[in-house]
Amino acid sequence: MKAARWTTALDNPLARPASAWWRRWWRRGVDEAAGLLATDALTGLPDREGLLAQALALQVRARQRDATRPMGLLLIEFDDTPALVAQHGVTVAESAVRALSMALRRGIRQGDLIGRWAAGAFMVVLPPLDPRDLRMIGERLRAVAQATELREGPQGSLIPISVHVGASSAPLDEPLSAALARSELALKNAAPRLGRGERVSVVLR
């Protein structure tokens, strides 16, 4: 009697029950590796490259679940990073970046992704949600940022932290790059030079 032969592991009936588990384990490992290999040294958050890898993986998973709602992007930036450096120095500015990163990390919801996008900017990637919630979440994170306390030295004066937010929806049927461009446009619309009243701008598809 000849022994059974299988051309691949998935042809083996004994291997099939583990195949789905293996794919989930492998995908999780890829996501974690992306975060570990592309980390911002100052904040410990994923850097731009690492966050993009995680965001693309989130988009793939959402498509596989046949999600109909779009993902969301929130680009959060200090009002005037050059002025912060000029007035208080590089060390204080770096402390402000670290303080804001910790505040935003505590303020995001479970399942949200966050990374350092640029010198004075952070990106938050939201899993599929109702686009009408983007402004509310952006306002809440802006309030979290502005409640962050930073002092210039142990007995120094309190340095206010203020930010503006650009938000965009990211439909699952389009490249993520299109939504990123909209979030950058929204950030420009929310820039402090355009007035202090409206600080969260939302651009939908």
Side-chain angles (χ1 to χ4, degrees):
M1 182 177 177
K2 293 184 178 180
R5 293 184 179 180
W6 297 287
T7 56
T8 69
L10 293 182
D11 291 329
N12 184 341
L14 297 177
R16 287 173 189 162
S19 62
W21 170 86
W22 171 263
R23 285 195 296 271
R24 288 194 300 271
W25 177 86
W26 179 84
R27 189 181 300 117
R28 184 168 63 249
V30 169
D31 293 347
E32 292 175 353
L36 290 172
L37 294 175
T39 301
D40 175 60
L42 181 63
T43 63
L45 295 175
D47 64 10
R48 190 184 187 111
E49 180 183 352
L51 181 63
L52 275 175
Q54 293 181 0
L56 289 170
L58 177 62
Q59 186 182 56
V60 169
R61 290 195 295 270
R63 286 171 176 168
Q64 290 173 342
R65 292 195 299 268
D66 295 324
T68 57
R69 292 183 173 185
M71 293 165 50
L73 301 178
L74 297 173
L75 191 51
I76 303 169
E77 184 178 53
F78 283 100
D79 280 348
D80 196 343
T81 304
L84 181 64
V85 175
Q87 293 174 18
H88 303 285
V90 174
T91 301
V92 171
E94 289 182 343
S95 297
V97 171
R98 280 194 296 266
L100 180 56
S101 72
M102 290 187 289
L104 292 176
R105 184 157 30 188
R106 290 192 299 267
I108 61 175
R109 308 166 306 164
Q110 184 176 3
D112 293 344
L113 305 175
I114 184 172
R116 190 178 182 193
W117 195 249
F122 297 86
M123 176 71 80
V124 177
V125 182
L126 310 172
L129 77 167
D130 187 330
R132 293 173 295 184
D133 292 338
L134 277 173
R135 183 180 297 278
M136 178 188 67
I137 297 172
E139 289 285 7
R140 183 174 59 79
L141 289 179
R142 188 171 75 89
V144 166
Q146 301 200 166
T148 303
E149 291 190 355
L150 178 67
R151 293 189 179 275
E152 192 168 4
Q155 305 298 325
S157 58
L158 190 66
I159 300 173
I161 291 180
S162 58
V163 301
H164 50 289
V165 182
S168 70
S169 61
L172 302 179
D173 61 350
E174 73 171 13
L176 194 59
S177 57
L180 291 172
R182 286 196 297 273
S183 66
E184 291 173 350
L185 173 62
L187 188 72
K188 291 180 181 179
N189 292 339
R193 66 175 180 271
L194 297 179
R196 294 279 173 177
E198 184 67 28
R199 307 302 298 283
V200 177
S201 173
V202 181
V203 175
L204 301 178
R205 182 180 176 180

